[in-house]
Amino acid sequence: MTDLRLSPTQLAALNAELAEVVDRHRTAARRASGAGEADGQPVLVQLQSFPRKERGER
């Protein structure tokens, strides 16, 4: 997504919310594994969110 415009505070909130989503899924996977449900495959989640320069800026 390259059309998102956020303040530093909004970006921090977005990052925190995304981390919470990943944590919820991690917790659910651990519970499922502990309950004897079929194990899933290892997954790598990559999230990158950081300010960038406007197009044409150097």
Side-chain angles (χ1 to χ4, degrees), residues 21-51:
V21 169
V22 172
D23 286 342
R24 283 197 307 270
H25 284 271
R26 181 184 294 123
T27 299
R30 287 179 181 154
R31 282 191 198 128
S33 180
E37 295 181 22
D39 289 336
Q41 294 181 334
V43 173
L44 174 64
V45 176
Q46 293 182 331
L47 300 171
Q48 295 182 353
S49 54
F50 48 86

Side-chain angles (χ1 to χ4, degrees), residues 2-25:
T2 59
D3 61 341
L4 191 58
R5 298 184 72 87
L6 300 173
S7 70
T9 301
Q10 291 170 319
L11 179 56
L14 174 63
N15 287 332
E17 190 171 343
L18 291 170
E20 288 173 5
V21 169
V22 172
D23 286 342
R24 283 197 307 270
H25 284 271

